[in-house]
Structure formats: C-alpha cells, structure tokens
C-alpha cells in the first residue's frame, strides 16, 4: 500500500508538473501581446494559441489597446458579432463561451478598468434566468419569504454578495483561481491536451504558419495563423475585434448547418451535451437571477454606460419547438421582466423577433440550431439598430 500510494502520488505530481508547464488551457500564462501584437497582417489566429482560459485576457487586451467604446457581451451565441455588423471600428466582441449570470457582477467590476467603454450590447437568453438548480430555487424562496417580513433588502444584499464572492470561471478570486489551476491540471482532459500539443503532428504553439486565404474570405488580412501547416477545424479569432471565425468562414464559404438536435430524442435533456438540456427543469423565471441583472445594470448605469439588451437570433423552428415544449409563457414572462428592469435604469431591452422577418433562413444561415452564422448575425444587428432608440457610441466612418 505504501508503494502504491507513493507511486500514485508521484504520478499525479508529474502530470501536474507537465500540465502546469505546458498550460494547455491558458490558465497560468497569458502571452497575449506576443501572440497577437506581432500580427501586423491582421491574420485570423487559431484558438489553440489563445485557449479557453485566455479569452477574457485576450479580449480585454483588445479593449485596452484599441480604446474601444463599444462591446458586445454574451455567450458563444454572440461570437459572430463583428465590427462590420456592429457598424463601428471602435468595437470589441467580449462574448465568452458559456457566459452565465454568475459572471455579471465580476464583469461589471472588470469593466471599471476600461473607462473607454461607453456602450454595452448585452446578449441575454431567457433560459439563463431560469430556476433549474436547487440553490436558485432556495434563493428565490428566501426572497419571497423575506418580502413578507420586511427583510427583502437584507436577503437581496446577501444574494448579490454571494454571487460576487462565488465568481465564475472568468472572474475568480485568487484562492478560487489557484484551486481551479490545481484541479484542472490534474484532470484527464488537460493531460490529453498537453500530450496533443507535444506529440500531435509535431505541432507546437511556438510555431506559427501563415496560411493564405481566398479573396472572398472575410478575414481582413486574408490570412490565418496556425500551429500546423494546414488549417484545422478549430475556431479562429479575429484579432481586430475578438469575434470568431469557423473554417468555412475563413474560406468564404457557406457552411451546412448541423441540424442533428432537431431530433426529438434531445428535447428532454437525456442527452446532456444537447443545447436543449439548458431548458430542462426550468419551471419559473428566477427572481434572484433578475436581481443580479438589476444590480449589473445599476452599476453600469451609474458609470454612464449605456446598455441595450437583446437576444441573438434563433431559427424559427427552434422558437416553435420551444413553444411546443411549454416554455412559451416563461419566455414571455422573462422578456416582460427584463424590459421593466432595463427601463427602470433608463436602458432598453428589445425582445427577439422571428428571424425570417429580417432574412435569416433556418436551413442555410445557422452553424447549428443554436448559433447564427455571420450573415444572419449581421441581419439581426441591422434589425436591432432599426428598432432601438439608441445603438452604440456616436457613429464614425468604417475603415
């Protein structure tokens, strides 16, 4: 047993040392300027150079270096909002994969360091404000009970303090960050990725292969940087504004959308990696989550930042299925609540419209049933601009 424990401990220590030194998720070392700053040709960059843990550092670097006045914030569903679609050179896509309510308060604090930002286009999803977990249900009940005995302000403060202390993967306390590095770099996925970096086709993140792209590519420099001599099927960063390209985007091609999740077997959440699982167990719009949205808007409004809330487009078929699954009333309730909260702070929230009304085709204009393609995103932004009372910072000419 002693030999076993000693060998097991030594193995874990070696794996942690390997993962810590290679840093496959970008949790420890963030060489943003070295990777992006020397890219004079504005080539798209393979996300392998700037993996998950570097997202917030990379996009914050863009805001700082470009003194951006406008940002879009949201989950991966806003990744394809670029400066052309937004209509301003002074723009950075601050979308973060898997962004949720637990990041809002950290994000509000983070933006204090970037006084150039004067307008936030906030992508919100109704299911993100649901009561899908036991903890959220408990906080919602606590708010309701406290209101009856005159203690709601105290409980509300405790809830906002909890969210602020808990943080998220993007906005962590120092202790949480150290724990995150420890646990992530003892994991099998981190080890697999480290070995892939070391062994896969001789690829190294120290190698930068410049690959020419066709004239019809939307990439400004018509080029892409990759750790391998050929383009892979990873995502690519736009180093001008932080938006995302897929492989077909780089080539200027229209990708065939992944429609597999229209299969009814996904609707009940039995397949956990399905996007439909995000709706499962939502029985009410969470009052405690709306409280966090209210607090977030209050902080930005107090600093003179304008906020416009919207929902990135979904295929009309997704909207129809959502109604058939019984989530229509909850969606309507959230949109009414959000509009009231935004208005309370002198801000604006615009509920989504059927995407076919502004020219998005369910079968050709989406990457999958949850993510709009580049052209559909641009049409949605044009529709939003036409409906909004105010949109972005004062207009300036696009280069």
């Amino acid at each position: 047993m002693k030999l076993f424990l000693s060998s097991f401990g030594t193995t874990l220590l070696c794996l942690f040392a390997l993962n810590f030194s290679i840093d496959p998720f970008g949790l420890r070392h963030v060489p943003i300027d070295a990777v992006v700053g020397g890219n004079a040709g504005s080539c798209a960059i393979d996300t392998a150079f700037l993996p998950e843990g570097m997202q917030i550092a990379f996009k914050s670097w863009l805001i700082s270096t470009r003194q951006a006045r406008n940002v879009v914030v949201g989950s991966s569903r806003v990744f394809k909002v670029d400066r052309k679609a937004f209509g301003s050179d002074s723009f950075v896509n601050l979308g973060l994969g898997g962004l949720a309510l637990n990041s809002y308060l950290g994000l509000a604090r983070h933006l204090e360091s970037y006084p150039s930002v004067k307008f936030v286009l906030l992508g919100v999803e109704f299911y993100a404000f649901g009561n899908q977990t036991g903890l959220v249900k408990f906080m919602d009940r606590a708010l309701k009970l406290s209101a009856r005995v005159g203690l709601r302000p105290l409980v509300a403060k405790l809830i906002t303090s909890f969210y602020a202390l808990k943080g998220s993967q993007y906005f962590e306390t120092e202790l949480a960050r150290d724990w995150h590095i420890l646990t992530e770099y003892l994991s099998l996925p981190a080890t697999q990725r480290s070995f892939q970096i070391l062994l896969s086709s001789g690829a190294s993140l120290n190698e930068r292969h410049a690959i020419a792209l066709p004239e019809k590519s939307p990439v400004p420099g018509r080029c892409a940087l990759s750790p391998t001599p050929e383009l892979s099927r990873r995502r690519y960063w736009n180093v001008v504004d932080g938006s995302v390209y897929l492989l077909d985007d780089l080539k200027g091609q229209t990708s065939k959308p992944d429609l597999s999740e229209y299969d009814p077997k996904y609707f009940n959440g039995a397949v956990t990696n399905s996007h439909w699982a995000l709706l499962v167990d939502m029985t009410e719009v969470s009052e405690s989550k709306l409280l966090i949205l209210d607090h977030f808007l209050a902080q930005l409004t107090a600093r003179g930042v304008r906020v416009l809330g919207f929902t990135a487009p979904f295929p009309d078929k997704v909207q129809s299925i959502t109604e058939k699954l019984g989530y229509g009333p909850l969606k309507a309730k959230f949109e009414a609540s959000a509009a009231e909260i935004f208005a309370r702070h002198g801000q604006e929230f615009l509920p989504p419209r059927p995407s076919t009304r502004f020219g998005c085709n369910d079968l050709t204009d989406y990457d999958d049933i949850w993510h709009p393609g580049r052209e559909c995103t641009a049409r949605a932004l044009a529709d939003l601009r036409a409906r909004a009372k105010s949109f972005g910072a004062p207009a300036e000419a696009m280069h």
Side-chain angles (χ1 to χ4, degrees):
M1 180 59 71
K2 185 178 180 179
L3 178 61
F4 169 76
L5 291 176
S6 176
S7 301
F8 182 71
T10 301
T11 301
L12 286 181
L13 183 61
C14 290
L15 290 178
F16 179 79
L18 170 71
N19 295 328
F20 186 81
S21 61
I22 293 178
D23 195 25
F25 296 151
L27 301 178
R28 184 177 59 84
H29 182 48
V30 188
I32 303 298
D33 190 61
V35 175
V36 181
N39 184 8
S42 297
C43 300
I45 288 188
D46 192 316
T47 53
F49 289 115
L50 297 167
E52 293 91 336
M54 295 185 187
Q55 284 188 62
I56 188 64
F58 163 52
K59 297 191 174 192
S60 298
W61 181 88
L62 287 176
I63 294 173
S64 179
T65 56
R66 307 189 192 291
Q67 289 295 292
R69 295 193 296 276
N70 308 286
V71 298
V72 63
V73 175
S75 66
S76 60
R77 291 199 347 99
V78 306
F79 270 175
K80 288 195 172 181
V81 178
D82 58 24
R83 62 180 184 146
K84 182 179 179 181
F86 187 87
S88 170
D89 275 347
S90 187
F91 166 80
V92 168
N93 186 310
L94 195 53
L96 300 164
L99 184 82
L101 264 292
N102 58 359
S103 287
Y104 273 35
L105 301 185
L107 174 63
R109 291 194 304 273
H110 185 72
L111 288 176
E112 291 181 11
S113 302
Y114 304 95
S116 66
V117 175
K118 299 300 181 184
F119 178 81
V120 173
L121 181 60
L122 182 65
V124 294
E125 317 292 347
F126 87 94
Y127 51 80
F129 289 82
N131 62 339
Q132 288 94 324
T133 68
L135 177 60
V136 173
K137 288 182 173 69
F138 170 79
M139 290 190 290
D140 289 346
R141 285 195 297 269
L143 275 176
K144 290 179 181 178
L145 290 173
S146 65
R148 297 176 187 174
V149 295
L151 293 177
R152 192 181 191 281
L154 174 61
V155 173
K157 186 174 182 179
L158 289 173
I159 290 173
T160 54
S161 297
F162 167 76
Y163 270 95
L165 289 173
K166 182 175 181 290
S168 70
Q169 60 177 321
Y170 298 113
F171 304 100
E172 299 175 316
T173 64
E174 285 298 319
L175 180 61
R177 180 178 177 275
D178 292 343
W179 177 252
H180 186 199
I181 291 174
L182 176 64
T183 54
E184 282 293 323
Y185 285 170
L186 283 174
S187 69
L188 179 61
T191 305
Q192 289 175 326
R193 187 155 176 173
S194 291
F195 277 108
Q196 286 172 355
I197 292 172
L198 286 173
L199 304 174
S200 177
S201 303
S204 168
L205 296 189
N206 294 321
E207 296 182 28
R208 287 157 64 99
H209 298 270
I211 301 172
L213 299 175
E215 187 65 28
K216 60 184 178 180
S217 171
V219 178
R222 304 293 188 272
C223 55
L225 298 181
S226 171
T228 58
E230 295 182 355
L231 296 176
S232 68
R233 289 196 172 272
R234 299 185 183 99
R235 290 172 174 163
Y236 296 78
W237 294 117
N238 178 330
V239 297
V240 176
D241 60 27
S243 59
V244 164
Y245 301 108
L246 299 184
L247 184 60
D248 284 338
D249 295 325
L250 296 187
K251 297 178 179 179
Q253 299 174 349
T254 301
S255 59
K256 184 178 180 180
D258 177 5
L259 305 178
S260 60
E261 288 187 64
Y262 280 139
D263 189 326
K265 71 180 182 182
Y266 292 107
F267 296 166
N268 63 4
V271 182
T272 55
N273 62 350
S274 162
H275 289 100
W276 293 105
L278 295 168
L279 281 70
V280 174
D281 294 329
M282 179 178 178
T283 59
E284 188 55 85
V285 176
S286 169
E287 189 175 350
S288 60
K289 287 186 175 182
L290 290 175
L291 176 71
I292 299 304
L293 174 64
D294 183 87
H295 199 67
F296 173 78
L297 291 173
Q299 290 181 301
L300 267 64
T301 303
R303 300 203 300 271
V305 178
R306 286 188 289 124
V307 185
L308 174 62
F310 84 115
T311 298
F314 278 108
D316 288 2
K317 186 172 181 179
V318 167
Q319 302 283 29
S320 176
I321 293 172
T322 301
E323 295 277 345
K324 290 178 181 177
L325 292 175
Y327 294 102
L330 292 177
K331 181 174 177 290
K333 181 177 180 180
F334 165 72
E335 290 169 358
S337 298
E340 189 276 327
I341 292 172
F342 273 78
R344 185 188 308 157
H345 296 283
Q347 310 285 9
E348 187 178 11
F349 171 79
L350 292 177
R353 301 201 297 175
S355 66
T356 52
R357 290 187 61 177
F358 44 84
C360 291
N361 186 302
D362 280 13
L363 299 178
T364 60
D365 290 328
Y366 289 85
D367 296 327
D368 57 45
I369 70 168
W370 228 252
H371 296 88
R374 190 165 298 274
E375 290 302 318
C376 182
T377 296
R379 294 183 190 120
L381 266 288
D383 176 73
L384 191 67
R385 186 180 295 105
R387 290 192 290 148
K389 295 176 183 177
S390 62
F391 189 104
E396 72 269 13
M398 291 290 293
H399 294 319

